[in-house]
Amino acid sequence: MADEKRTARAQKDGTEKKSKATKKDGSRHADADRSTDTVSAEGKAEARRHSVEKAETRAKATAKRKGLRKLTGLDRDGLLGMLERMMLIREFEEQCANLYRAGRIRGVTHTYQGQEAVAVGTCTALRIDDYITSTHRGHAHVIAKGGEVDLMMAELMGKATGYCKGRGGSMHIADMTRGILGANGIVGGGMGIAVGAALSSKMLGRDTVAVCFFGDGAMNQGILHEVSNMAAVWNLPVVFLVENNLYGMSACLEDAMACPELDLAKRADAYGMPGVTCDGMDVVDVYLAAKEAVERARGGGGPSYVVCDTYRFLGHHVGDPLSYRDKSEVEPWRALDPIPRLGRQLVADKLATQAEVDAVDAATRAAIARALAFAEASPDPDPSNLTEDVFA
Amino acid sequence: MSGTATGNAAATGAAATLTYVQALNEALREEMERDPTVFVMGEDIAVWGGGGVFGVTKGLLEAFGPERVRDTPISEAGFTGVGLGAALTGMRPVVEYMYADFMMVAMDQIANQAAKIRYQFGGKARVPLVLRTQEGAGRGNGPQHSQSLEAWFCHIPGLKVAIPSTPADAKGLLKTAIRDDNPVVFLEHKLLYGKKGEIPAGEHLVPFGKANVLREGRHVTVVGIHVLNDMALEAADILAAEGIELEVVDPRTLVPYDRETVAASIRKTGRLIVAHQAPERAGIAAELIQCAIEDAFDYLDAPPVRLCAANMPVPYAKSLEDAAMPQVADIVAAARRLMSGSSVVGTRS
């Protein structure tokens, strides 16, 4: 019965939507195994194929895109800056994984390869005094918001010079001077903080905006409903930025979310907010969607949802055996890698030569190498300062 | 900011007799007038009954407007997070929970977020956040509206915990809490709201970590939490007729905790009772007694005693609720037992 309802709803949604992709989306569950309440392995595989096909269709449509400056309103430096930040994130995460495997980083660390367009596209739409709250997969958000990679690397290596003096590690980096209100070790833990920062903006008469980053997995945390509702009731300047990478740790959307066939941005309807979905593998598309949402919030137009369809190339954390997803599903996503994609577009748009793109790449690698050297040369925290800043 | 401070709270003039709830109200009013970043938020604090179900925020909406006296949706986890975010970004929120039990809904935001941020961010963030509520049994509010949860909060490093038991302390500790740059869990008691007491004239701030000796005595120290202090004073009157003198010490705050004042009292009396309405098992009494053992073992003439609620949910019916909670008679009996064999008085129980 529940399945019939779900299918009917999906089909209704499919017929209402104009895009071919969504029609296909809407009908796919009709063919799925109905013997259980959960979606069959075959159904899930089909859903995965559909996700990447949708992303490929978007990529094709924008591959020959010209006039990036006019489209985005960003100058050449701004566009190259997005490339640089994405490359910086990629290299940071690669080195982070190496360090982890070498036993130089403790605990767990969650890397972001594949999702760079989301953090960078969003934060490019923000001012330095705007706020973000980040997640357990938060290195990229910090870098995209202008965080300093040497202090980050030192924190990951547990050094006294790290952002948090070695007290927090990977999941707690914050930079109060740049509005970075912290990564978070609790899924959904930062949502209230973002909305609170938006409330401050409103009460203090500032025009700052807060962006709340979280993933599809966190969409099932109760506090999201609470603060979405509050943000809407109080018309607060906050953007709920969903990174839909299709998995919450090992749980795919189909296993974890009711109505997985529906666009996640429809959640916003429940609060009377605008909700849009964009191509999370395309930094320009993310930037345009984020910019619209941020400008709306800044102008007093209230909160909204922006869903970025994306994919993490690697595991939930370094060392994840990836038992829950088929290897074959990764390659098509890697072909949509947001970094070469922007590089190609900049070259095609004659905003940069390939040599200039390569030079940015080399410069970011050098910057991360310097960060590593800084971290390695930094002292461990002194245990005689163990309880510094412990007030209660 | 909207809302103009038009309140008439006077930090001047002579001492006044106020109820506990009026004292809290005066503290909020004075701090909101003093500092425009102070605001209150919570469920049914503005419109309901003109100032919350217990009246703590009475008149504040009229004085400061709906932006600063903010009714929230019924979303404890959500509005705790929102208060925390506001505290991190320039405001000084005072978040109210109608009942302490409801704070359990928000424990991630309290324990994992608010308590840890300053330390885990390398000391670079400040969290001037007050989480106010009332706890305790005695009104027939049943299992989910009568708990005493102070031990939960004391166990989390990064939270200060205040437990005022007099109107003067209610005012003075709340004003101190609001001016603190760290999160404070401010636990009031539902049975104390109508209690009257003298409030000192002028600006009245009570420092954290300074216990208050409510009554001096030579024979048994009673450290009470909330209503157990009043019960201890009542017990002291009864026992005085028998020649047993209780010294009643109100810790005022549990984090920080004034070990020295309690230890000094034990050095005088040699006997300790710790009493609270929270269940005995892993209650704060165990911690306070251990502190006393560490600080004044050589002075103890008898094993310290804890008088706590039974290890069970708080029942509704009066006969059951009374039976589950420590009462005046329990303090009297425990003090007599501690004194039995003493040369001061004969065995009485």
Side-chain angles (χ1 to χ4, degrees), chain A residues 109-336:
Chain A
T109 193
H110 310 85
T111 63
Y112 197 78
Q113 291 95 328
Q115 302 180 210
E116 290 88 348
V118 180
V120 172
T122 303
C123 291
T124 303
L126 295 177
R127 302 192 316 223
I128 190 168
D129 59 344
D130 287 329
Y131 296 105
I132 64 165
T133 58
S134 173
T135 72
H136 59 286
R137 198 179 307 289
H139 308 159
H141 305 135
V142 178
I143 295 173
K145 190 67 168 55
E148 295 172 45
V149 288
D150 50 352
L151 305 186
M152 293 176 67
M153 198 62 89
E155 185 60 30
L156 263 58
M157 292 181 72
K159 298 303 183 97
T161 54
Y163 256 120
C164 311
K165 302 182 186 171
R167 299 172 186 167
S170 166
M171 286 186 278
H172 303 289
I173 296 175
D175 185 340
M176 302 303 287
T177 66
R178 292 181 169 89
I180 302 167
L181 301 177
N184 212 301
I186 306 295
V187 173
M191 293 165 172
I193 296 172
V195 175
L199 178 62
S200 277
S201 297
K202 192 176 182 198
M203 292 185 75
L204 293 168
R206 298 174 183 155
D207 69 345
T208 47
V209 170
V211 169
C212 177
F213 284 103
F214 57 93
D216 51 291
M219 289 191 86
N220 302 323
Q221 282 283 27
I223 193 169
L224 177 60
H225 165 62
E226 298 188 14
V227 300
S228 296
N229 179 62
M230 246 178 286
V233 170
W234 294 342
N235 195 42
L236 299 179
V238 59
V239 177
F240 296 96
L241 202 296
V242 186
E243 304 195 49
N244 176 18
N245 67 13
L246 306 175
Y247 292 91
M249 207 160 162
S250 68
C252 67
L253 270 183
E254 284 66 28
D255 284 344
M257 193 175 279
C259 309
E261 67 279 8
L262 299 186
D263 186 340
L264 301 188
K266 288 180 84 69
R267 280 273 185 103
D269 293 354
Y271 310 102
M273 293 179 202
V276 296
T277 298
C278 68
D279 183 355
M281 304 302 284
D282 176 13
V283 72
V284 172
D285 203 44
V286 173
Y287 170 72
L288 293 173
K291 186 166 171 250
E292 187 182 347
V294 167
E295 283 177 357
R296 178 191 300 114
R298 204 183 304 288
S304 61
Y305 270 56
V306 174
V307 178
C308 302
D309 286 341
T310 184
Y311 194 80
R312 66 169 148 78
F313 292 164
L314 301 174
H316 169 66
H317 55 64
V318 184
D320 174 358
L322 282 166
S323 55
Y324 49 86
R325 78 181 191 196
D326 198 286
K327 272 183 190 164
S328 66
E329 106 180 23
V330 183
E331 275 320 302
W333 283 104
R334 280 197 178 273
L336 301 172

Side-chain angles (χ1 to χ4, degrees), chain B residues 67-131:
Chain B
E67 282 283 302
R68 292 180 69 196
V69 184
R70 184 172 286 269
D71 273 334
T72 64
I74 303 168
S75 304
E76 287 85 2
F79 67 68
T80 305
V82 171
L84 171 58
L88 274 172
T89 53
M91 302 298 288
R92 303 188 86 87
V94 180
V95 175
E96 175 178 312
Y97 306 83
M98 201 181 289
Y99 287 79
D101 315 69
F102 304 173
M103 291 178 83
M104 301 298 99
V105 180
M107 279 308 269
D108 170 55
Q109 294 300 309
I110 296 169
N112 287 327
Q113 311 295 335
K116 293 179 175 46
I117 276 183
R118 176 167 160 192
Y119 179 80
Q120 79 185 7
F121 288 0
K124 291 167 193 156
R126 55 187 195 103
V127 184
L129 176 66
V130 178
L131 308 174

